[in-house]
Amino acid sequence: MKKFFPVYVRLPLIFALVFMALEFFIDSGDRPAFLKYPEVSIFLATFLFFQITLEIVYAAFERLNYNLLTEEEKAKKAQEETIAFTDTALYKKIKGWFVKSKPIEEESSILLHHDYDGIQELDNVLPPWWVNLFYVTIFFGVVYLVRYHIFDGEDQAAEFKTEMAEAKLAVEEYKKTAKDLIDANSVTLLTDAGDIATGKKIFETNCVACHRPDGGGAIGPNLTDKYWILGGGIKNVFHTITEGGRDGKGMVAWKGTLKPSEIQLVASYVLSLQGSNPKDPKAPDGDLWEEKAETPAK
C-alpha cells in the first residue's frame, strides 16, 4: 500500500485531514481555529513534527530490513512491487464485496440459452453489497415489528409529542430568566426596592425632560395622578413606552432605545409615583383609571 501512496502524498494528506477536522469541530467564529487559539497551532506543528519523524524512522527501518534480506528475498520483494494495485489481493477483496461477476473468459459457464436477435443473456448473481444490505433491511424490519407492534413502543408521532411538550417546558423555564423576552402581555409589575431604584435612574436619564424629575408633568402628562391617556396599569404603561403615544403628538416609541427589561423597570417606577404629591402638578389628562382584578381562568 505504501508504494501507491508515497510520502509526498501521504504526509500532506493526513495533515490536511487533521487540520480540517480541527476546523470543523472547534467553534472559532469567523476566524480560523489555528489563528484564534494558539494552542491549535502548537498542536498542528507538533503533529507535523511527529509525522515527519515517524516517516524518517519508518524509512530507516525499511532500509535496514531490506539490507537483511537474502538475494532471493530481495528479488521476490522487487517482483511484488511491480504488481499493479488492481492486481493486489486487497483490491480484489474490496472489489469482490461490490461485484461478483465472472471474468469474460468464464462467461460461457453462466450463459443462458436465450437469444434475442443475436443478443445473449448472462446469469450474473446480484452484487454482494446489495444482497447484504437486503439482509440488513430484513433484520431491521423484524426488530421494528417486535419493538413497535408487539411491545407497543413509542412511534414517531408519540415521540414528537413528547419532545414538543418537553421543549415547551424548556421555553417557559427559559422565559423566566430571559427578561428581554417579555412583552405587554407577559410583563409584571416590579415592586422590589432595587428594581424601583434602577427604574428611577432610567427615568431620570430619559424621561425628566417631558415629565419632570418628580413626575408632575411638563410637556408630557402628570404621572402621579389616576388619569391616563392610553390606560394605566403595568401592561398599558409598558405598551405606551414601547410603542409610543398618540400619533403626531404623543411620546416617541422607546423600543429602539430601551430593552424590554429596562422598559419594565421604568414602567414599574412610573407606577410607584402614583399618589405622590409633586409641586405644582400638571392638570389631569385622559380618563380616570381603576385597576381591575383579573378574573381567574376557568
Side-chain angles (χ1 to χ4, degrees):
M1 182 61 68
K2 182 182 175 184
K3 72 172 184 176
F4 300 112
F5 297 96
V7 62
Y8 56 83
V9 173
R10 183 171 61 251
L11 193 148
L13 179 62
I14 295 175
F15 182 80
L17 291 174
V18 172
F19 178 85
M20 289 188 293
L22 290 173
E23 290 292 337
F24 179 79
F25 289 107
I26 297 177
D27 185 8
S28 57
D30 56 350
R31 296 180 61 194
F34 75 96
L35 292 178
K36 187 172 183 179
Y37 302 110
E39 54 269 27
V40 175
S41 298
I42 296 173
F43 172 81
L44 288 172
T46 306
F47 179 77
L48 181 61
F49 173 77
F50 276 107
Q51 263 192 293
I52 297 173
T53 303
L54 288 173
E55 290 291 346
I56 294 173
V57 172
Y58 183 74
F61 177 79
E62 284 282 287
R63 286 195 297 271
L64 177 62
N65 186 50
Y66 182 79
N67 292 329
L68 295 176
L69 297 176
T70 63
E71 293 299 326
E72 183 180 346
E73 291 173 331
K74 290 179 179 178
K76 183 179 179 181
K77 183 177 179 63
Q79 184 179 3
E80 290 176 350
E81 291 182 350
T82 60
I83 299 175
F85 179 67
T86 55
D87 295 328
T88 60
L90 176 63
Y91 175 82
K92 291 179 179 179
K93 186 176 181 180
I94 296 173
K95 181 181 178 182
W97 197 85
F98 286 98
V99 293
K100 203 174 182 180
S101 58
K102 292 280 186 179
I104 192 170
E105 296 83 4
E106 302 177 15
E107 282 186 352
S108 58
S109 63
I110 58 172
L111 183 64
L112 296 176
H113 299 290
H114 299 160
D115 193 317
Y116 303 96
D117 296 331
I119 301 174
Q120 294 179 304
E121 182 181 358
L122 298 177
D123 187 21
N124 281 314
V125 298
L126 289 169
W129 68 267
W130 193 97
V131 176
N132 293 331
L133 184 61
F134 180 67
Y135 292 147
V136 170
T137 60
I138 294 175
F139 176 76
F140 176 82
V142 173
V143 173
Y144 188 92
L145 174 68
V146 173
R147 175 72 176 85
Y148 293 103
H149 296 281
I150 297 178
F151 291 105
D152 198 25
E154 281 193 347
D155 58 12
Q156 291 180 337
E159 289 178 356
F160 176 76
K161 290 179 181 178
T162 301
E163 290 177 2
M164 289 299 294
E166 291 174 353
K168 186 175 180 180
L169 291 176
V171 169
E172 294 302 323
E173 288 297 320
Y174 174 72
K175 285 182 177 180
K176 292 179 182 179
T177 56
K179 296 181 179 179
D180 287 323
L181 288 180
I182 57 176
D183 55 22
N185 295 318
S186 61
V187 66
T188 56
L189 179 66
L190 303 176
T191 57
D192 183 76
D195 293 331
I196 298 301
T198 304
K200 181 179 180 180
K201 291 180 181 178
I202 299 172
F203 182 87
E204 291 174 344
T205 302
N206 301 283
C207 311
V208 295
C210 296
H211 297 284
R212 291 181 13 193
D214 58 8
I219 299 174
N222 181 2
L223 301 177
T224 64
D225 57 31
K226 295 185 178 181
Y227 290 83
W228 296 87
I229 299 173
L230 297 174
I234 185 63
K235 297 183 184 298
N236 288 321
V237 175
F238 181 94
H239 180 270
T240 302
I241 297 173
T242 302
E243 302 296 337
R246 295 165 294 177
D247 293 337
K249 57 181 178 179
M251 181 178 63
V252 298
W254 287 92
K255 60 185 178 183
T257 305
L258 300 176
K259 298 178 182 178
S261 57
E262 294 174 324
I263 296 176
Q264 181 185 30
L265 289 166
V266 72
S268 297
Y269 170 72
V270 166
L271 291 174
S272 73
L273 297 176
Q274 293 285 284
S276 61
N277 297 305
K279 183 179 180 181
D280 300 326
K282 187 176 180 181
D285 286 325
D287 301 319
L288 180 65
W289 172 264
E290 293 184 3
E291 193 74 34
K292 297 180 182 178
E294 294 186 359
T295 304
K298 295 182 179 180

